[in-house]
Amino acid sequence: GGVYCATKAAVNAFTTAARKDLCDTPCKITTVSPGFVNTEFATVRFKGDAEKADAVYKGMKYGGPLLAEDIADNVVYALTRPGRVQVCDVLVYPTCQASAKDIARE
């Protein structure tokens, strides 16, 4: 809930400030904001209950949630751009996701 939203806002403010502070250096600042990713997070959230964890992703259309490899691919993309290119923000969702709450399910 509220703490999660506050931390997201804090990360956004910090990265924007860092980008401004480091503007006169070759440092690049990138924020990666993934949507639904199938990781161990759901299992931890539900204290090891695999059935509840699997239900989080159940019925998601068009291939389901993102995988850790999808996010890693985006990170590699951002890191391998030429020196003149800074990828500031990466917002990546699975095909069936339009926002934090809008997910197409079967």
Side-chain angles (χ1 to χ4, degrees):
V3 172
Y4 179 79
C5 293
T7 59
K8 288 283 210 177
V11 167
N12 184 50
F14 177 79
T15 56
T16 298
R19 199 174 294 118
K20 290 177 180 181
D21 289 346
L22 299 169
C23 182
D24 196 26
T25 75
C27 291
K28 300 176 182 184
I29 308 297
T30 302
T31 303
V32 179
S33 303
F36 264 58
V37 182
N38 191 349
T39 67
E40 72 282 350
F41 177 79
T43 305
V44 171
R45 178 180 174 206
F46 293 112
K47 297 178 175 49
D49 188 330
E51 190 173 312
K52 282 185 179 179
D54 291 342
V56 171
Y57 309 109
K58 187 173 183 185
M60 290 178 72
K61 290 182 159 185
Y62 315 117
L66 298 170
L67 304 175
E69 299 84 40
D70 300 319
I71 306 312
D73 183 56
N74 282 266
V75 171
V76 169
Y77 174 81
L79 291 173
T80 58
R81 297 308 84 208
R84 68 183 176 279
V85 177
Q86 178 173 209
V87 178
C88 296
D89 299 298
V90 177
L91 176 62
V92 57
Y93 287 158
T95 303
C96 64
Q97 186 175 3
S99 72
K101 293 189 176 191
D102 297 307
I103 299 165
R105 297 183 188 267
E106 297 173 352

